[in-house]
Amino acid sequence: MSVSPAESDFDSYVRASGPRLKRLSFLLTGDLDTAEDLLQSAYAKVLPRWAKVGDYDNPDAYMRRVMVSIRTSWWRRLRGREVLTADFPRGGVAGRDLAVDVGELDYLLTGLRALPRRQQVAVVLRHYCDLSEAETATVMGISVGGVKSQTSKGLAALRVGHAPSPTIEEPSR
Amino acid sequence: MNLSPDALDRALTELAERADLDESVDRVPAIHHRARRAATVRLASVAGALAAVAAVVAITLGAGGLPFTRADSVPAKPAPKPFLTVGLESQEELAAGLSDRGLGTPVVVQITFHGLVPQMYNDAGELATGTDNLLSLQMYWDPRGWDGRGSSEYHCVRGAPLVKMDNEFLMTTYAFRAGTHPITLRATACDPVGEVSEKLSLTVR
């Protein structure tokens, strides 16, 4: 099967952007397999539109929107292989040296995964992608006020180590 | 040190770098495969809609000729009937691209929803979209339990208009042992659709 120039360009973009977008996907999902699933789903959605998206100054921004859209839509309902831990770190992550202790990163990861989707996405977009509140609002499709509220609640939950209980029963593993 | 914005930024950056450990697989073939499958599903939906239109036209013609030549006998447009079909399909090619990770054999299942179901609303009167227009949605991984949800924040409203549902998802789980693994998908839409289900028997080697 022949590969069109557009497809070849898309493939190059996937190989170049994959590692950095996988990092974002990992923060949005909390585990590597689900991150790969989300990332591939997003690329597959973008592929039919690549002739247009490929001309954008920053295709990553479009990919971010697609990833967040997928993440906050169906995966909030169907979470096949996610494990929502019941062992959220009591006492939270405040007061710990997050940047130097691998164990503390596990606490942070656990905390992120326990957050409601929108709070999790808002925290990641604001503090990992370094987007402004307005940019985050555009990506999430909510108001700037909504971004402030979701980010604030997410950070508060991370600080006190308290997140809402999962509403979906998990398979026994 | 506390959870200041700077500390959180640094910690998230370090955390994200863990994803680099998983960058050995070339994901390009799998992405093209997913895109082709999505295009096939879209084409099938369009073909189904065209077939439905053709059937209506055929019935109309059979009932008395071209409607625009017999204004006095134009039949009323039949009201669309609500329905819901669900599909389960094993995606072995995608599963082959996933690693074991000590959790068992990866299994990927494609789930499809196609139908015309009553619109659901939440307490604020907002419209549900996609599979939120289902009262419940559960996937049973026998004998491990189930994923999904048993209730909805949206509710049925008598006389609600019908909305299209065309969604497909991929779910992954891990099989602990070789053999046959029965999977059941159950979805419930508002009356008169009710519950529909689909079963799939996965064979893991």
Side-chain angles (χ1 to χ4, degrees):
Chain A
M1 182 185 292
S2 63
V3 177
S4 68
E7 281 196 347
S8 173
D9 185 40
F10 173 80
D11 294 352
S12 299
Y13 169 70
V14 168
R15 292 194 172 98
S17 63
R20 60 178 177 270
L21 291 176
K22 179 68 173 284
R23 293 178 181 181
L24 169 61
S25 191
F26 176 60
L27 291 181
L28 292 176
T29 60
D31 81 83
L32 293 172
D33 276 345
T34 312
E36 185 63 32
D37 217 2
L38 171 59
L39 185 57
Q40 290 188 15
S41 297
Y43 278 129
K45 274 189 177 292
V46 168
L47 175 54
R49 308 180 184 100
W50 182 248
K52 186 176 180 182
V53 177
D55 285 339
Y56 291 172
D57 288 340
N58 185 6
D60 279 12
Y62 189 81
M63 274 293 293
R64 271 200 301 262
R65 289 184 70 164
V66 174
M67 290 166 69
V68 166
S69 170
I70 295 172
R71 182 59 177 158
T72 53
S73 57
W74 71 267
W75 273 355
R76 66 182 167 158
R77 295 293 178 209
L78 279 170
R79 294 185 275 193
R81 63 168 171 253
E82 279 184 90
V83 179
L84 286 174
T85 179
D87 302 321
F88 193 88
R90 297 297 168 200
V93 293
R96 301 171 187 273
D97 192 347
L98 294 172
V100 299
D101 189 326
V102 172
E104 304 306 345
L105 291 182
D106 288 332
Y107 272 87
L108 179 60
L109 180 60
T110 305
L112 273 178
R113 291 171 64 174
L115 291 179
R117 288 289 166 273
R118 289 187 185 281
Q119 291 178 26
Q120 179 198 50
V121 170
V123 168
V124 170
L125 292 179
R126 292 280 290 124
H127 290 276
Y128 174 69
C129 297
D130 208 22
L131 299 188
S132 68
E133 287 173 341
E135 289 168 331
T136 303
T138 301
V139 172
M140 294 181 67
I142 62 177
S143 66
V144 170
V147 170
K148 289 180 181 175
S149 168
Q150 297 294 331
T151 309
S152 172
K153 287 177 183 173
L155 292 178
L158 287 174
R159 285 194 179 98
V160 302
H162 172 73
S165 299
T167 55
I168 296 179
E169 289 190 26
E170 294 298 319
S172 55
R173 290 177 188 271
Chain B
M1 184 172 172
N2 57 32
L3 194 60
S4 68
D6 281 349
L8 181 60
D9 292 356
R10 275 201 310 278
L12 285 174
T13 299
E14 287 189 31
L15 191 57
E17 286 171 358
R18 291 187 179 182
D20 296 350
L21 300 172
D22 200 45
E23 270 304 306
S24 57
V25 176
D26 182 4
R27 59 177 63 89
V28 170
I31 290 166
H32 282 277
H33 176 75
R34 286 179 186 228
R36 281 195 301 273
R37 281 212 58 87
T40 303
V41 170
R42 281 195 297 273
L43 277 176
S45 298
V46 170
L50 288 175
V53 169
V56 170
V57 169
I59 290 169
T60 303
L61 291 175
L66 295 171
F68 50 79
T69 61
R70 296 174 56 89
D72 57 334
S73 63
V74 173
K77 185 180 176 183
K81 292 183 178 176
F83 71 99
L84 176 64
T85 58
V86 295
L88 286 176
E89 186 181 345
S90 175
Q91 294 289 311
E92 294 175 8
E93 189 177 334
L94 294 178
L98 298 176
S99 57
D100 180 317
R101 296 189 188 290
L103 296 171
T105 304
V107 172
V108 180
V109 178
Q110 178 171 286
I111 308 164
T112 54
F113 298 90
H114 174 60
L116 198 59
V117 300
Q119 174 71 59
M120 294 178 69
Y121 304 82
N122 66 10
D123 291 340
E126 295 167 334
L127 307 182
T129 59
T131 52
D132 281 350
N133 275 307
L134 294 173
L135 277 168
S136 69
L137 179 54
Q138 295 165 326
M139 179 78 107
Y140 290 83
W141 308 92
D142 186 37
R144 288 171 45 200
W146 62 277
D147 294 309
R149 60 184 167 85
S151 62
S152 173
E153 64 190 89
Y154 297 92
H155 52 79
C156 302
V157 173
R158 183 179 297 226
L162 300 177
V163 289
K164 277 186 183 177
M165 181 174 289
D166 276 303
N167 298 91
E168 70 166 34
F169 309 124
L170 290 173
M171 289 187 77
T172 303
T173 187
Y174 295 87
F176 293 109
R177 57 174 172 75
T180 302
H181 296 262
I183 295 174
T184 305
L185 174 67
R186 287 183 187 155
T188 309
C190 298
D191 286 338
V193 176
E195 181 182 290
V196 295
S197 66
E198 181 69 18
K199 292 183 179 179
L200 173 67
S201 201
L202 282 170
T203 301
V204 177
R205 294 176 185 84

